[in-house]
Amino acid sequence: QVRLVESGGGSVQAGGSLNVSCVASGYTDRRSCMGWFRQTPGKERDRVAIIDWIGNPTYADSVKGRFAISQDKAKNALYLQMSSLKPEDNGMYYCAAKKDGVWYVCDMDVARYDYWGQGIQVTVSS
């Protein structure tokens, strides 16, 4: 059984920095695909950043140059370093992972992710 547990997050003023982490247990796919998504009340879950099994990152345009995703496969951990935070970065941040399949696809389509953490709040005040 796959379990994703987020930690970190919190509150910060605009322009500040925060980090979130995710530890995955039971996720043993060699060709991993993991990512961060966020959601605010009344809105759909939105992509933030993903990283494939080789370590190639992909970012949403809204966070490029400000956020950095990384992973530590030895620790089964996923990280998101957030800097120059803006009020529009507010939200519940979710760690997610995809099952590997016959065709390996690692993209930012929320619907393709099979496993989700419980989420962690990031609050940016102006």
Side-chain angles (χ1 to χ4, degrees):
Q1 185 176 357
V2 175
R3 186 167 180 241
L4 307 176
V5 179
E6 300 96 338
S7 61
S11 298
V12 69
Q13 287 195 324
S17 299
L18 281 174
N19 298 327
V20 288
S21 303
C22 171
V23 175
S25 57
Y27 183 56
T28 57
D29 291 27
R30 185 178 68 89
R31 297 188 301 178
S32 63
C33 177
M34 298 188 72
W36 291 98
F37 298 81
R38 65 188 179 194
Q39 188 170 21
T40 53
K43 294 189 177 181
E44 292 186 353
R45 199 163 292 186
D46 197 14
R47 56 197 181 183
V48 175
I50 63 168
I51 189 164
D52 68 15
W53 69 295
I54 299 174
N56 296 314
T58 304
Y59 298 96
D61 288 343
S62 59
V63 306
K64 278 180 184 175
R66 301 188 298 119
F67 289 14
I69 188 171
S70 60
Q71 62 188 353
D72 185 333
K73 283 183 166 281
K75 295 181 179 179
N76 268 354
L78 182 72
Y79 307 102
L80 186 69
Q81 296 175 290
M82 302 179 286
S83 60
S84 301
L85 282 160
K86 304 175 182 180
E88 49 263 45
D89 295 318
N90 268 318
M92 190 72 79
Y93 280 67
Y94 295 91
C95 172
K98 283 177 78 274
K99 291 180 190 176
D100 191 7
V102 175
W103 303 104
Y104 178 77
V105 176
C106 190
D107 62 18
M108 302 186 87
D109 185 345
V110 174
R112 293 183 187 271
Y113 284 76
D114 303 289
Y115 310 111
W116 292 87
Q118 80 285 355
I120 195 156
Q121 183 67 38
V122 169
T123 302
V124 183
S125 56
S126 55

